[in-house]
Amino acid sequence: MNSLWWFIKDKIRTLHTFIFQYLYVSVLILAVPLIACDLKYGIFNAFYKDIGSQAALAAIAGTFIGFLLTIATVFLALPNSNYMKRLIETKHHIIFIRIIIIGIISYFLTVLSWIIGTSWMRVSLYSFILGSLEVIASIYYLYHLVVHNFVDFPR
């Protein structure tokens, strides 16, 4: 019984490590049920029918591009604390940068599809959803980075 508990605990730890090691990809899995429901049940049909919704989505996407650039600036501006050194040793700084880059690309695709026209309405919405998931992941990293950076801050 005890060995089964350790086996399950080890598998959960391995899954946790995998999810956070590839957070910039694993967070995108959350978009799959939304896209599937939209394609099957049309849950976003009201969005597709409104002509101004794509322009509003592009404006919000532009704001989030600025937000992600600000997060990157804060990340690069923080001093080398113990937490930052551990982040670099475990290569999580690369994951954090990838999250920001994928988020910016997703939001840029939203703006680009708005420029192209209403025939790209689904692409616009789906790329916005993907970008929003990347923002959530970047906020998670930024929160831990800032909180742990102030813990190491000399008083």
Side-chain angles (χ1 to χ4, degrees):
M1 182 67 175
N2 198 14
S3 63
L4 178 64
W5 171 251
W6 285 107
F7 176 77
I8 293 171
K9 192 173 181 179
D10 182 55
K11 292 302 172 190
I12 290 172
R13 188 176 299 126
T14 303
L15 180 65
H16 181 268
T17 303
F18 178 80
I19 287 172
F20 280 98
Q21 185 175 4
Y22 298 103
L23 185 64
Y24 53 94
V25 177
S26 59
V27 75
L28 299 178
I29 293 172
L30 298 173
V32 172
L34 279 175
I35 293 171
C37 286
D38 182 42
L39 294 175
K40 186 168 183 170
Y41 302 112
I43 60 174
F44 297 120
N45 283 342
F47 173 80
Y48 302 136
K49 291 177 185 175
D50 187 10
I51 295 172
S53 60
Q54 192 176 17
L57 203 62
I60 296 168
T63 303
F64 274 122
I65 288 173
F67 179 72
L68 287 170
L69 290 173
T70 303
I71 288 176
T73 305
V74 168
F75 172 71
L76 296 172
L78 287 174
N80 284 335
S81 63
N82 291 334
Y83 185 75
M84 183 70 90
K85 290 175 186 171
R86 285 194 313 265
L87 197 72
I88 292 171
E89 287 172 6
T90 59
K91 304 217 184 296
H92 276 269
H93 69 292
I94 295 171
I95 296 169
F96 188 52
I97 295 298
R98 286 179 182 168
I99 287 170
I100 292 171
I101 290 171
I102 291 173
I104 289 173
I105 290 170
S106 296
Y107 285 129
F108 182 73
L109 188 59
T110 301
V111 173
L112 185 65
S113 63
W114 167 67
I115 292 170
I116 292 173
T118 57
S119 61
W120 286 65
M121 194 80 104
R122 283 189 193 274
V123 174
S124 180
L125 181 64
Y126 295 160
S127 61
F128 183 83
I129 291 170
L130 296 177
S132 298
L133 293 172
E134 296 295 339
V135 164
I136 292 169
S138 66
I139 289 171
Y140 168 81
Y141 264 96
L142 185 66
Y143 169 77
H144 283 287
L145 187 64
V146 169
V147 166
H148 289 289
N149 198 35
F150 284 123
V151 167
D152 293 340
F153 196 72
R155 296 176 194 206

